[in-house]
Amino acid sequence: SQTIHQWPATLVQPVGSPLSLECTVEGTSNPNLYWYRQAAGRGLQLLFYSVGIGQISSEVPQNLSASRPQDRQFILSSKKLLLSDSGFYLCAYDAQGNYNSPLHFGNGTRLTVT
Amino acid sequence: AQTVTQSQPEMSVQEAETVTLSCTYDTSESDYYLFWYKQPPSRQMILVIRQEAYKQQNATENRFSVNFQKAAKSFSLKISDSQLGDAAMYFCAYRVQGGSEKLVFGKGTKLTVNP
């Protein structure tokens, strides 16, 4: 069966510190991978998506970056966190080329930048 | 640009009653897919229901059904016999067939279920 793992679940980091959030998918090959951010009480903002290893598309200019070193691994990073980076981060995947395929989400990471 | 609009930031319903959440979208495409997601307080995103634009029949999943009006570009979600566990944020989403594969989400509707 297909599963998605995202960690850590909760993270508190000081301003200016680095960030690394990791997401892995099991049970499927060559998925599309996505990073979303959700501010408190608000909708989903697409940050990055990837259709293959090393292929990253950025939706919003910011101090965050993403990488896909392996087919089913997606990493969200920052060299120096800002207060405005606080939020709830969700990783998701779906089947490439199947437009009827729903997004499957991880459990999310609650990031607080202090 | 493709947009999805959920005009009701918040809704409330009495337990066992029926509620309808609205969603409209803007597209010039004819082939696309529509989804409703639920996000309970746990913040886990859960697929509720999906609809293919080429299908005229409205999708149904147990107590959840949609009213898909393609000409009006409307995709509302009806929840029948509302339960306390239905309390959540509900997001409408849209994807074009043959497009960039990204889902476009609305801003969500917060549903409260009153006992």
Side-chain angles (χ1 to χ4, degrees), chain A residues 7 14-15 22-23 25-27 29 38 51 54 56 60 71 73 77 87 91 93-94 98:
Chain A
W7 68 92
V15 168
E22 190 163 342
C23 173
V25 178
E26 296 178 358
S29 297
Q38 186 178 28
V51 298
I56 309 295
V60 182
D71 180 45
Q73 183 184 27
S77 304
C91 180
Y93 78 94
D94 61 14
N98 181 356

Side-chain angles (χ1 to χ4, degrees), chain A residues 32 34 36 38 42-44 46 49 59 88 90 94 96-103 105-107 110, chain B residues 33 35 37 39 42-45 47 50 52 89 91 95-103 105-107:
Chain A
N32 294 321
Y34 306 82
Y36 285 88
Q38 186 178 28
R42 299 181 68 180
L44 293 162
L46 179 62
Y49 72 97
E59 293 293 303
F88 189 67
L90 284 159
D94 61 14
Q96 197 166 119
N98 181 356
Y99 297 95
N100 193 30
S101 170
L103 278 181
F105 288 85
N107 289 332
R110 186 182 306 276
Chain B
Y33 300 88
F35 305 82
Y37 282 86
Q39 188 181 40
S42 67
R43 306 197 80 170
Q44 173 70 41
M45 291 287 286
L47 176 69
R50 57 182 153 177
E52 295 90 343
M89 283 288 288
F91 294 95
R95 172 190 276 152
V96 175
Q97 169 75 29
S100 67
E101 303 197 50
K102 297 179 292 181
L103 254 64
F105 282 89
K107 293 188 182 299

